[in-house]
């Protein structure tokens, strides 16, 4: 299984804790903050059993704004609590009716302009990392799973964002670094003392970001304004390959924001057959779309009621699983099927632009007005899955032509 940790729609600094969830890479556990009246507390979801279930992990007092939670591979939940300039880290676990807690340590964040947040779950599930972003540099910390307490592993010049793991070992971390007003993706090698090398540099004056990566196939999902200055476009490339970066028209939906959140794993050496799940937000609401490069089109699905928007993962048998929570069912997982037959309802073919598609169970509008389609109240059934890892080859200096970059030169 593979998944992407979701950043909340409201940043912790806004006074509202994150409302999405983070999922371990193997899909066994998830963690989120839950609201009970005006109180917030952590909750762990177990996803690898016959039925998903939630275990509340309330502490001795409600959690404060700025708190983050992070599932570990052994079922414990890492929690980050802000305490002035210090960030406190503990591991939570259920002990009968109560919550056990092991204090790990703290990270000092000097200055008011330093922000620290947890990075997506590491592939191994045994360690957890955080990114502290300062005025001129960013630091990568291992906050759980080390020999002692939190430990700084790397310092990267510039302000960094994002955070994507490129290998199954949790050694190569991609970060989007802003320097001189431009954003480019770099790789931080945590196994070599935090060595930094370029990964994604499409044009000198473009902002290039890495959104998702799949270590099995090497498929990369990229955001860049290189093909359309001033407008971020979704594209794809292949890790460790000299193939060009492409920006397919099928990933453009007028008036909608398309945010990929999960790549189908196990498609070793066949990135073109990987299905990519994306959250689509438009005037008619939020729904789910699935894209495959070799099909060149999007399939659309209503999101389940109560979807933890932007959270999801692919199972080993090719099912897209979407966690949701409703007043009637506190912990649920909807399963979406994306059959890849001939173009038809629910699919948007590639072309100059993506036209509107009917609001049915397998298709949602891309730029229309009117009432949003009614999403299914629960599970709905999707696309296939095995493993490898590649040393990244920088995707650099790739001049654009007809929305397809020329082959990238290695450095």
């Amino acid at each position: 299984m593979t998944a992407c940790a979701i950043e909340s729609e409201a940043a912790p600094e806004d006074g509202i804790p994150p409302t999405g969830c983070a999922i371990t890479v193997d899909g066994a556990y998830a963690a989120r903050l839950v609201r009970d009246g005006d109180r917030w507390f952590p909750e762990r979801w177990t996803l690898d059993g016959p039925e998903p279930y939630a275990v509340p992990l309330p502490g001795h007092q409600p959690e404060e704004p700025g708190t983050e939670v992070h599932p570990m591979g052994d079922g414990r939940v890492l929690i980050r609590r802000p305490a002035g300039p210090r960030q406190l880290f503990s591991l939570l676990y259920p002990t009968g009716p109560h919550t056990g807690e092991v204090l790990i340590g703290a990270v000092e964040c000097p200055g008011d302009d330093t922000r620290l947040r947890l990075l997506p779950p590491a592939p191994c599930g045994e360690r957890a990392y955080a990114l502290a972003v300062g005025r001129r540099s960013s630091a990568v910390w291992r906050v759980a799973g080390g020999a002692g307490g939190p430990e700084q592993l790397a310092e990267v010049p510039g302000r960094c964002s994002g955070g994507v793991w490129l290998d199954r070992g949790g050694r190569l971390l991609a970060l989007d670094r802003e320097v001189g007003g431009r954003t480019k993706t770099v790789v931080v090698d945590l196994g070599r003392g935090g060595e930094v090398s370029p990964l994604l540099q499409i044009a000198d004056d473009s902002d290039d970001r890495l959104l998702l990566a799949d270590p099995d196939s090497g498929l990369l999902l990229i955001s860049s304004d290189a093909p359309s200055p001033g407008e971020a476009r979704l594209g794809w490339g292949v890790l460790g390959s000299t193939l060009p970066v492409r920006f397919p028209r099928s990933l453009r939906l007028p008036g909608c924001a398309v945010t990929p959140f999960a790549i189908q794993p196990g498609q070793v050496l066949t990135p073109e057959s990987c299905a990519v799940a994306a959250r689509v937000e438009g005037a008619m609401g939020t729904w789910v779309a699935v894209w495959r490069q070799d099909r060149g089109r999007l399939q659309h699905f209503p999101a389940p009621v109560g979807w933890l928007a932007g959270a999801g993962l692919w199972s080993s048998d090719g099912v897209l699983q979407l966690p949701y929570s409703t007043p009637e069912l506190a912990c649920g997982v909807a399963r979406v099927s994306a059959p890849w037959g001939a173009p038809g309802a629910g699919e948007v073919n590639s072309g100059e632009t993506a036209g509107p598609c009917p609001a049915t169970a397998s298709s949602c509008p891309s730029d229309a007005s009117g009432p949003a389609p009614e999403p299914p109240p629960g599970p709905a059934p999707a696309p296939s899955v095995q493993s490898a890892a590649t040393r990244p080859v920088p995707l650099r200096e790739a001049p654009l032509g007809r929305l397809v970059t020329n082959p990238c030169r290695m450095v």
Side-chain angles (χ1 to χ4, degrees), residues 15-39:
I16 302 174
T19 54
C21 73
I23 309 174
T24 56
V25 173
D26 65 2
Y29 297 103
R32 68 177 190 135
L33 285 177
V34 179
R35 188 169 192 166
D36 181 15
D38 58 354
R39 296 168 57 93

Side-chain angles (χ1 to χ4, degrees), residues 75-97:
R76 293 183 294 178
V77 172
L78 175 73
I79 187 167
R80 175 184 71 86
R81 296 184 176 109
R86 305 177 75 217
Q87 306 292 314
L88 306 178
F89 295 90
S90 295
L91 287 170
L92 308 179
Y93 57 94
T95 57

Side-chain angles (χ1 to χ4, degrees), residues 235-298:
W236 69 277
V238 179
L239 191 65
S241 170
T242 57
L243 293 175
V245 178
R246 295 174 172 84
F247 296 88
R249 291 184 177 91
S250 57
L251 289 177
R252 297 185 80 181
L253 295 183
C256 295
V258 181
T259 307
F261 62 85
I263 301 177
Q264 180 183 357
Q267 308 304 293
V268 180
L269 304 179
T270 56
E272 68 281 351
S273 65
C274 289
V276 178
R279 174 180 64 183
V280 184
E281 298 174 284
M284 296 185 65
T286 301
W287 63 92
V288 180
V290 175
W291 174 83
R292 261 176 58 173
Q293 185 274 329
D294 60 356
R295 301 292 175 166
R297 56 185 176 268
L298 284 170

Side-chain angles (χ1 to χ4, degrees), residues 40 67 164 184 214 240 318 356 369 385 408 411:
W40 293 89
T67 299
V164 176
K184 308 290 182 182
D214 175 55
S369 58
V385 345
C408 307
V411 294

Side-chain angles (χ1 to χ4, degrees), residues 91-336:
L91 287 170
L92 308 179
Y93 57 94
T95 57
H98 305 293
T99 300
E101 181 170 341
V102 177
L103 179 64
I104 298 175
V107 172
E108 202 77 35
C109 291
D112 295 336
D113 56 352
T114 300
R115 294 289 181 265
L116 185 143
R117 64 174 177 85
L118 293 172
L119 287 166
C124 65
E126 299 174 355
R127 300 181 292 274
Y129 299 85
L131 181 68
V133 182
R135 182 179 301 174
R136 296 184 179 87
S137 66
S138 303
V140 178
W141 287 78
R142 182 175 57 216
V143 295
E151 177 185 0
Q152 182 175 327
L153 302 181
E155 185 166 5
V156 183
R159 297 180 62 85
C160 293
S161 58
V164 176
W165 295 103
L166 299 178
D167 65 326
R168 291 292 181 194
R171 170 178 168 174
L172 302 175
L173 174 67
L175 295 172
D176 300 325
R177 179 175 66 172
E178 180 187 347
V179 175
R182 292 296 176 189
T183 300
K184 308 290 182 182
T185 303
V186 298
V187 178
V188 182
D189 190 335
L190 301 180
R192 301 183 65 176
E195 179 181 283
V196 179
S197 57
L199 176 68
L200 185 62
Q201 300 184 37
I202 297 178
D204 290 340
D205 58 351
S206 62
D207 289 319
D208 311 316
R209 296 176 172 86
L210 180 63
L211 305 180
L212 290 178
D214 175 55
D216 294 341
S217 63
L219 180 65
L220 306 178
L221 268 293
I222 293 160
S223 171
S224 175
D225 62 356
S228 305
E231 175 194 358
R233 293 278 302 275
L234 286 180
W236 69 277
V238 179
L239 191 65
S241 170
T242 57
L243 293 175
V245 178
R246 295 174 172 84
F247 296 88
R249 291 184 177 91
S250 57
L251 289 177
R252 297 185 80 181
L253 295 183
C256 295
V258 181
T259 307
F261 62 85
I263 301 177
Q264 180 183 357
Q267 308 304 293
V268 180
L269 304 179
T270 56
E272 68 281 351
S273 65
C274 289
V276 178
R279 174 180 64 183
V280 184
E281 298 174 284
M284 296 185 65
T286 301
W287 63 92
V288 180
V290 175
W291 174 83
R292 261 176 58 173
Q293 185 274 329
D294 60 356
R295 301 292 175 166
R297 56 185 176 268
L298 284 170
Q299 288 184 297
H300 299 263
F301 303 88
V305 170
W307 180 36
L308 305 181
L313 69 158
W314 293 98
S315 71
S316 59
D317 56 356
V319 175
L320 177 60
Q321 303 179 55
L322 304 174
Y324 68 92
S325 179
T326 67
E328 296 75 28
L329 184 61
C331 175
V333 176
R335 292 171 174 83
V336 177

